[in-house]
Amino acid sequence: MSRPGADDGEGPAGASALREMRIGVIGAGYVGLVQAGGLVRLGHEVRLGEWDEARLDALRAGRVPIYEPGLAALISEGRATGRLSFHASNREAVNGASVVFIALPTPSDDRGTVDTSTLDRAIADVAPSLSAGSVLVIKSTVPVGTVRRISQMPAVAERDVGVVSNPEFLREGSAVEDFLNPDRIVIGSTDPHTAEVLASGVYRDLPGERVLVDPASAEMIKYAANAYLATRVSFVNSIANLCEEVGADAAAVLRGVGRDHRIGSYYLAPGPGYGGSCLPKDTRALSGMAERHGYDFRLLRAVMEVNEDQRRRIVGKVADAVGGNLSGATVGLWGLAFKAGTDDVRESPAADLALRLTAAGAAVRAYDPRASLSMPGMELSPDPLAAADGADVLLVATEWPQFRQVDPVAVKAVMRGSVVVDARNLLDAAAVRAAGLSYRGVGTGRS
């Protein structure tokens, strides 16, 4: 099998001959845009294909349609150097490319069935335009066996195209930093030359261990990592809830747990449960995969049940603050994004809480520094104090650091009620109480 740079005599996969490569990226979403911008920073020429005309027009006009710290600078740099171009035709984007990345959504339904139809259509579209001996890289999170299936597509196989799994591990809010400074780069391929094209060519100047495995293992690594993170979140929330019942301080307990070098402090913050574009769908998908293969993944089912229970528990705290009945109550909501540092509301715990509150009859006044969302029973406010104005209870649902800067005395002055439910344990509880408000966090007592 011929691969770019495999026989130029300059070491594995001819790394020096791959200093500058023409690369195609299909999909201008979170992953695709960061991938494209990051590859340009590494010195490659990148042609980005996108079907959404509005998104394409924005990019061509120099506007990045999503909020991600550092991403606008990467895209601007690419446009300024002429190494980044945008294409409505995916075939045009892959024309002459030695490596093509597929970064398209693969949602999962409630039973964990992954929908790869968008990815499959895109590959069928570009396959006839792929260069002979090129490398097709699957960045999307896909079911185990997808790389093998795509490799067997006639249009791919007849062009001697190598198909690789290269899952992404980008955290929204720090995705650019994660791309440029990865802790590992997972490459799943059955062909050593193909793997080296990525390991020593495409990603030549990036740090991080190269984890070279077979495609099925690479596909499973992404699911396993996200399912484990979801498990930590659900476990921590369960511990925090138990701390409330027994009178312990969850922050102190988890600080002590996190000092164990075998555990570490990451993902040990109580809150309203995991959310976002990856953990929920990937956890469902792994559970569904287990079920279809006859394995009873009881632990993962419990993780998802705990996550659902945590949302109900937070709503219960808000209801309790107004006497148990939310009908007719006004709730100030700080946060809509699923986490700070992003405008993404996909499967956001904050957005889900807003939906549950309005379904229970509450009127919600919401503010988020970046995210926006429309739903019946909720109005958007221009700032945090406006969201708290006239509220019977204030709910902190996203951990934006800006919320810590809001004067609790000013909050007390505009609220109708006096209870703050801090679902992120973000605020200074002592300062909130000193202002005459009652503070209720997660894993803490009442006051």
Side-chain angles (χ1 to χ4, degrees):
M1 178 176 284
S2 174
R3 291 286 171 261
D7 300 309
D8 66 358
E10 297 290 342
S16 67
L18 297 171
R19 296 302 296 175
E20 295 183 8
M21 306 171 66
R22 172 177 285 187
I23 297 176
V25 176
I26 305 302
Y30 279 89
V31 175
L33 280 173
V34 174
Q35 183 76 14
L39 291 173
V40 168
R41 173 65 62 83
L42 295 178
H44 302 299
E45 176 195 346
V46 179
R47 301 160 68 90
L48 180 59
E50 172 58 46
W51 290 338
D52 188 319
E53 293 184 5
R55 177 161 291 206
L56 197 61
D57 289 343
L59 291 167
R60 285 172 171 166
R63 301 190 307 274
V64 177
I66 60 176
Y67 175 72
E68 182 64 42
L71 180 57
L74 277 187
I75 299 302
S76 177
E77 174 185 323
R79 295 177 70 246
T81 60
R83 293 200 303 269
L84 177 61
S85 58
F86 307 103
H87 304 267
S89 166
N90 286 338
R91 293 188 180 188
E92 185 178 283
V94 307
N95 184 38
S98 54
V99 178
V100 173
F101 287 89
I102 306 295
L104 294 169
T106 52
S108 65
D109 61 20
D110 291 341
R111 293 187 57 82
T113 301
V114 180
D115 182 1
T116 64
S117 59
T118 299
L119 178 142
D120 290 342
R121 285 195 301 270
I123 293 176
D125 178 43
V126 303
S129 300
L130 294 174
S131 300
S134 61
V135 179
L136 183 65
V137 186
I138 308 302
K139 291 297 293 183
S140 305
T141 304
V142 294
V144 175
T146 299
V147 164
R148 180 181 59 191
R149 176 173 62 81
I150 292 171
S151 300
Q152 295 170 350
M153 292 175 59
V156 173
E158 68 188 15
R159 286 171 174 74
D160 196 26
V161 172
V163 185
V164 181
S165 173
N166 176 217
E168 54 85 16
F169 301 98
L170 306 177
R171 298 167 298 168
E172 290 186 33
S174 57
V176 172
E177 175 64 21
D178 289 344
F179 179 91
L180 297 175
N181 294 284
D183 50 14
R184 83 285 203 195
I185 298 174
V186 175
I187 299 171
S189 175
T190 57
D191 177 64
H193 290 311
T194 299
E196 278 300 317
V197 169
L198 265 68
S200 301
V202 173
Y203 296 129
R204 58 179 184 253
D205 294 326
L206 293 182
E209 180 184 356
R210 272 57 171 167
V211 182
L212 306 182
V213 296
D214 62 275
S217 295
E219 291 163 339
M220 180 60 85
I221 284 170
K222 177 60 184 292
Y223 284 116
N226 280 348
Y228 175 69
L229 293 176
T231 300
R232 280 180 70 113
V233 171
S234 287
F235 176 79
V236 164
N237 282 331
S238 296
I239 290 295
N241 295 338
L242 182 57
C243 284
E244 290 183 11
E245 300 301 323
V246 303
D249 181 350
V253 170
L254 295 169
R255 185 167 61 251
V257 170
R259 291 294 183 181
D260 188 326
H261 71 276
R262 298 168 301 174
I263 298 174
S265 60
Y266 294 105
Y267 277 74
L268 286 187
Y274 60 80
S277 62
C278 291
L279 264 61
K281 79 176 184 68
D282 291 350
T283 303
R284 289 194 302 266
L286 187 58
S287 178
M289 183 192 312
E291 182 179 348
R292 287 187 291 276
H293 283 80
Y295 177 69
D296 185 8
F297 208 149
R298 296 188 298 275
L299 174 62
L300 206 54
R301 288 205 315 273
V303 166
M304 293 185 286
E305 290 169 3
V306 168
N307 201 56
E308 176 72 12
D309 288 343
Q310 192 68 8
R311 309 285 175 82
R312 287 194 289 263
R313 189 177 180 91
I314 297 298
V315 171
K317 288 176 180 284
V318 177
D320 185 57
V322 294
N325 186 1
L326 284 164
S327 181
T330 298
V331 178
L333 179 66
W334 284 1
L336 287 170
F338 87 92
K339 62 181 286 189
T342 180
D343 60 357
D344 196 351
V345 296
R346 288 176 292 179
E347 302 217 36
S348 166
D352 183 56
L353 291 172
L355 184 63
R356 292 169 186 262
L357 291 168
T358 56
V364 175
R365 294 177 181 167
Y367 169 74
D368 190 284
R370 290 287 178 176
S372 181
L373 183 65
S374 177
M375 70 172 63
M378 184 181 78
E379 64 179 69
L380 299 180
S381 300
D383 57 63
L385 283 179
D389 190 11
D392 297 296
V393 58
L394 176 63
L395 172 61
V396 181
T398 307
E399 71 280 20
W400 286 100
Q402 296 94 316
F403 296 153
R404 292 198 191 100
Q405 308 306 316
V406 182
D407 183 0
V409 174
V411 173
K412 168 66 174 174
V414 299
M415 283 184 65
R416 182 166 59 193
S418 61
V419 178
V420 175
V421 175
D422 188 354
R424 295 287 185 171
N425 291 351
L426 176 73
L427 305 182
D428 183 335
V432 171
R433 291 167 181 148
L437 294 165
S438 175
Y439 178 87
R440 303 179 187 179
V442 179
T444 64
R446 298 183 181 184
S447 68

